[in-house]
Amino acid sequence: MEKKRDKDYWSPYIAGAFAGLVLVLSVWITGKYFGASTSFVRSAGLIEKAFDAERVGQTEYFVETTPKIDWQWMFVAGVFFGALIAAKASGTFKVQAVPGMWQAKFGSNIAPRAIVAFLGGTVAMFGARLADG
Amino acid sequence: MSQLLYGLITGILFGFFLQRGKVLRYDQQIGALRLMDMTILKFMLTAIFVGAIGIYLLYDLGAAKLSIKPTILGATVVGGLLFGIGWGVLGYCPGTSIGAIGEGRWDGVWGVLGMLAGAALYAEAYPLMKKSLLIWGDLGKITLPGVLNVNHWLIIPVFILLGVGMFIFFEKKNL
């Protein structure tokens, strides 16, 4: 495996320190801690509401975690734009359907990666919600 | 409204540093789980150390409240195991899947769709979980300083020293 320090990126210690600083400022200024998985619950609820609003209104979990766009939802949306800006500005933006390590083992076919990633995501989110992460 | 704007700006900053640290990548996330590349751990632990020092300082000054999640052994252990399996299969966590799409690695889309399905599934399973895993071994909102009954400034340096020791090991082994 290549182990050279990648000149296109920052040291993970420096980038991590800045990320920690952003958290401290956020807690100081708005009292908000970072998270992402609750926004997936709210989004799932919003999507389900489009089909059967009455059922969502009676689902206990969606009553406790209201399907709506809140601070954290916008934070998650911001992560997308922040990554986009950083990638474009540094020239590391790359449209890639299958990650390199995956491709080396399983080939460049999109379908297997899509199915496995979907199932992995399903299990990961179920676990994250259970552990309240 | 300003809450939403604060959320967006905070997310943009955080996403920017995630991308710059090269932690939005499948190869780095799976690389960490295969003990081949510790980029993720270096980023995460440094962020946690800076966060812990800053937030506990604010807490001591009365300028911040802590956000402590309850420790429920059943839910935390089973949830953690499931999350770990799912993360290892997908190669992104909830936040980094969104960030990965932002930097062009659009296989994050499959992960996001799967996670929406997982959230919907959990909403269905929730009444059952509330009668089982979510009440098994509920220890409440505990912290290490609280359980050991010592000041948090005794715990934080110990963790940082352990972390720095790990960092030195990683760099020696070129991980």
Side-chain angles (χ1 to χ4, degrees):
Chain A
M1 285 306 292
E2 31 96 57
K3 275 286 157 276
K4 51 176 170 60
R5 178 58 60 227
D6 200 329
K7 285 192 181 64
D8 290 334
Y9 292 89
W10 297 1
S11 152
Y13 302 117
I14 304 288
F18 274 108
L21 213 55
V22 176
L23 171 65
V24 174
L25 287 174
S26 173
V27 170
W28 192 8
I29 297 167
T30 59
K32 295 288 186 187
Y33 284 84
F34 296 174
S37 67
T38 311
S39 301
F40 284 82
V41 175
R42 297 195 199 279
S43 300
L46 285 170
I47 294 165
E48 284 186 45
K49 252 171 101 173
F51 294 98
D52 194 343
E54 203 179 323
R55 191 168 178 281
V56 171
Q58 289 160 356
T59 304
E60 189 183 5
Y61 198 55
F62 289 131
V63 173
E64 290 176 20
T65 313
T66 327
K68 64 170 183 197
I69 290 174
D70 65 347
W71 181 92
Q72 195 201 78
W73 202 98
M74 293 301 285
F75 169 79
V76 174
V79 167
F80 171 87
F81 290 110
L84 177 66
I85 293 165
K88 284 285 186 190
S90 62
T92 52
F93 184 90
K94 187 180 170 195
V95 175
Q96 196 181 39
V98 175
M101 193 184 271
W102 172 282
Q103 192 175 337
K105 283 248 180 219
F106 307 111
S108 56
N109 242 337
I110 292 179
R113 169 64 183 146
I115 294 163
V116 168
F118 182 90
L119 293 175
T122 307
V123 174
M125 184 52 69
F126 194 97
R129 289 329 293 164
L130 186 56
D132 198 10
Chain B
M1 194 61 225
S2 76
Q3 281 281 313
L4 298 184
L5 192 62
Y6 269 117
L8 184 69
I9 294 167
T10 311
I12 289 174
L13 288 170
F14 193 60
F16 184 91
F17 294 123
L18 285 172
Q19 203 282 339
R20 290 295 68 223
K22 206 185 184 182
V23 298
L24 297 172
R25 304 282 293 278
Y26 175 95
D27 291 9
Q28 267 58 42
Q29 303 213 16
I30 297 298
L33 296 178
R34 295 175 74 189
L35 307 179
M36 295 160 67
D37 179 334
M38 291 298 156
T39 305
I40 306 285
L41 238 60
K42 296 174 193 174
F43 180 98
M44 214 155 63
L45 287 175
T46 312
I48 288 171
F49 296 152
V50 171
I53 294 171
I55 288 168
Y56 266 108
L57 271 176
L58 292 173
Y59 174 71
D60 285 345
L61 296 169
K65 269 190 246 162
L66 301 182
S67 167
I68 300 160
K69 301 266 183 174
T71 300
I72 308 168
L73 292 178
T76 310
V77 172
V78 177
L81 286 171
L82 285 175
F83 178 79
I85 292 168
W87 176 37
V89 170
L90 166 59
Y92 300 118
C93 66
T96 48
S97 63
I98 300 279
I101 302 169
E103 62 164 6
R105 273 80 186 179
W106 65 273
D107 61 321
V109 170
W110 313 121
V112 170
L113 293 175
M115 287 189 277
L116 288 171
L121 211 62
Y122 186 75
E124 300 304 317
Y126 183 59
L128 181 66
M129 296 295 140
K130 257 181 97 171
K131 281 185 281 180
S132 52
L133 289 172
L134 285 169
I135 48 172
W136 292 347
D138 189 348
L139 305 179
K141 296 190 171 186
I142 55 168
T143 64
L144 212 44
V147 169
L148 298 175
N149 200 19
V150 293
N151 187 281
H152 41 264
W153 292 112
L154 221 63
I155 302 288
I156 295 166
V158 172
F159 267 85
I160 293 178
L161 279 175
L162 285 172
V164 171
M166 269 171 73
F167 293 159
I168 293 170
F169 175 78
F170 292 160
E171 297 309 326
K172 257 197 187 139
K173 297 281 173 189
N174 215 12
L175 285 167

